[in-house]
């Protein structure tokens, strides 16, 4: 199978797409809201400026759909950063190669210390994160880390550098469950501006990563854009376009969407286009109205207040007590974070908040598969 999202993506023009979104009318929004099955044109209407007055209606529909499909549950997961070594220059990231920070990669003993802390908190789904440094934290390091901890988690997800299909196949054989790979922005020129050096500067290689994952037979793929690098409406549309292509092409695979907004870090990049809280709610609801089955994830980048409210409006997966530095839980809590988190509440407090809101935090949804 030689199919690729790039062949579809290249038929779109960013400026024309954004203009088309902004031209949507109240009538287009009402038409989309009246439907039970929506397409990408409806999605454009739901993320358009014309949809702003309909946010309450969108939120109510999103809540009902999510409750029908996922019940009163929120899946809990936790990130564990293995390394902050990185060969890329990224203008928005604390791990960028140009930042003069102490670099560290966790040893086996340090990984197990971090895992012990997270298991005591009740986590059974873990996300392993590294900077992009092929020699230091390449496939063999990642595979070894997975094998070291696999008996303690029902599934393991990774967020690392884009790999080749055969490398994903090797990790899937080692029981890799899911991969998160965010395009950051689908604006080709703006992408190059923010990734001037390193393997990540290759826009097309990153864009085709989900295709390689699909061909490798991964169980789940996570998509997303980093809101703030470019216009959030256009980036949301291209994320949705990517999702729909993947669902049609690799229909056995599950999908999730994340909604990271630019957060402060040691590089200090300011958002080019601000995405307000209401804008983010609109986007999350639009994704839920487009797709009843896709998992929607919310990290600790967002504030306590925002996360308290969004758990009712479409989100199905939540992290808590996250540390974005290697060894941040136990080994070296003071090392530099990739970005600042906003919701710093403990796992126990988050779980209690969910329960008080009539939601059940789910730590594990099947027995160990290993």
């Amino acid at each position: 199978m030689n199919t690729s999202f790039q062949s579809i993506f290249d038929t779109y023009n960013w400026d024309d797409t954004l203009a088309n979104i902004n031209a949507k009318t109240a009538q287009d929004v009402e038409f989309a809201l009246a439907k039970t099955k929506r397409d990408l044109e409806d999605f454009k209407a739901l993320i358009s400026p014309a949809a702003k007055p309909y946010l309450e209606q969108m939120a109510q529909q999103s809540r009902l759909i999510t409750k029908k499909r996922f019940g009163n549950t929120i899946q809990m997961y936790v990130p564990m950063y293995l390394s902050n070594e990185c060969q890329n220059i990224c203008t928005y990231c604390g791990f960028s190669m140009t930042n003069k920070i102490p670099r560290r990669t966790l040893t086996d003993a340090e990984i197990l210390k971090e895992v012990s802390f997270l298991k005591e908190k009740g986590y059974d789904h873990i996300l392993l994160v590294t900077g992009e440094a092929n020699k230091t934290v390449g496939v063999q390091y990642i595979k070894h880390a997975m094998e070291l901890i696999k008996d303690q988690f029902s599934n393991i997800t990774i967020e690392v550098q884009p790999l080749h299909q055969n490398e994903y196949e090797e990790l899937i054989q080692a029981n890799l469950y899911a991969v998160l790979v965010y395009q950051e922005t689908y604006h080709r020129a703006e992408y190059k501006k923010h990734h001037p050096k390193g393997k990540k500067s290759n826009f097309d290689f990153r864009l085709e990563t989900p295709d390689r994952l699909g061909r490798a037979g991964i169980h789940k793929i996570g998509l997303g854009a980093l809101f703030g690098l470019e216009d959030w409406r256009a980036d949301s549309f291209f994320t949705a376009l990517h999702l729909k292509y993947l669902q049609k092409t690799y229909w056995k695979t599950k999908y999730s969407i994340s909604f990271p907004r630019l957060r402060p870090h040691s590089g200090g990049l300011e958002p080019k286009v601000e995405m307000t809280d209401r804008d983010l709610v609109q986007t999350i609801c639009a994704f839920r109205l487009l797709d009843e089955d896709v998992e929607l994830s919310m990290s600790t980048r967002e504030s306590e207040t925002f996360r308290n409210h969004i758990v009712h409006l479409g989100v199905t997966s939540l992290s808590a007590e996250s540390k974005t530095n290697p060894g941040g839980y136990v080994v070296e809590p003071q090392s530099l974070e990739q970005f600042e988190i906003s919701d710093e509440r403990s796992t126990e407090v988050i779980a209690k908040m969910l329960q008080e809101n009539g939601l059940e935090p789910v730590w594990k949804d099947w027995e160990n598969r290993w």
Side-chain angles (χ1 to χ4, degrees), residues 135-202:
K135 292 181 180 177
T136 313
V137 285
V139 173
Q140 294 313 308
Y141 176 87
I142 296 163
K143 183 179 178 181
H144 176 72
M146 287 172 51
E147 290 172 341
L148 194 65
I149 67 173
K150 69 178 183 180
D151 291 337
Q152 303 197 54
F153 295 95
S154 287
N155 66 54
I156 298 173
T157 299
I158 62 170
E159 185 180 345
V160 302
Q161 67 269 25
L163 304 173
H164 293 280
Q165 182 178 333
N166 66 307
E167 294 173 319
Y168 285 128
E169 289 168 350
E170 182 179 351
L171 293 176
I172 291 167
Q173 286 295 310
N175 292 304
L176 175 64
Y177 170 75
V179 175
L180 309 185
V181 55
Y182 307 140
Q183 188 61 29
E184 314 298 13
T185 179
Y186 287 84
H187 190 293
R188 191 181 290 271
E190 202 68 20
Y191 181 96
K192 186 64 178 175
K193 185 190 300 182
H194 291 291
H195 308 94
K197 191 172 182 181
K199 278 195 171 183
K200 196 171 179 178
S201 64
N202 187 332

Side-chain angles (χ1 to χ4, degrees), residues 23-35 41-42 45-46 48-51 53-54:
K24 293 294 183 183
T25 65
Q27 186 177 6
D28 294 323
V29 178
E30 291 172 6
F31 179 72
L33 287 172
K35 295 171 74 173
E41 283 303 310
D42 298 317
L46 294 172
S48 72
Y54 296 87

Side-chain angles (χ1 to χ4, degrees), residues 298-312:
M298 180 57 57
S299 78
T300 54
R301 284 173 180 259
E302 299 302 332
S303 70
E304 293 183 19
T305 303
F306 187 87
R307 287 183 10 125
N308 286 356
H309 288 91
I310 204 63
V311 293
H312 291 297

Side-chain angles (χ1 to χ4, degrees), residues 270-335:
E270 290 296 319
K272 177 181 178 181
V273 179
E274 183 189 8
M275 184 188 216
T276 66
D277 285 356
R278 287 182 65 84
D279 294 337
L280 184 51
V281 172
Q282 182 180 348
T283 305
I284 291 169
C285 292
F287 269 100
R288 176 56 68 224
L289 294 176
L290 174 69
D291 194 300
E292 294 191 0
D293 296 321
V294 70
E295 297 176 17
L296 304 181
S297 183
M298 180 57 57
S299 78
T300 54
R301 284 173 180 259
E302 299 302 332
S303 70
E304 293 183 19
T305 303
F306 187 87
R307 287 183 10 125
N308 286 356
H309 288 91
I310 204 63
V311 293
H312 291 297
L313 303 181
V315 165
T316 59
S317 180
L318 208 65
S319 60
E321 204 168 337
S322 303
K323 302 297 181 185
T324 65
N325 46 321
Y329 295 105
V330 179
V331 174
E332 191 179 2
Q334 300 307 313
S335 63

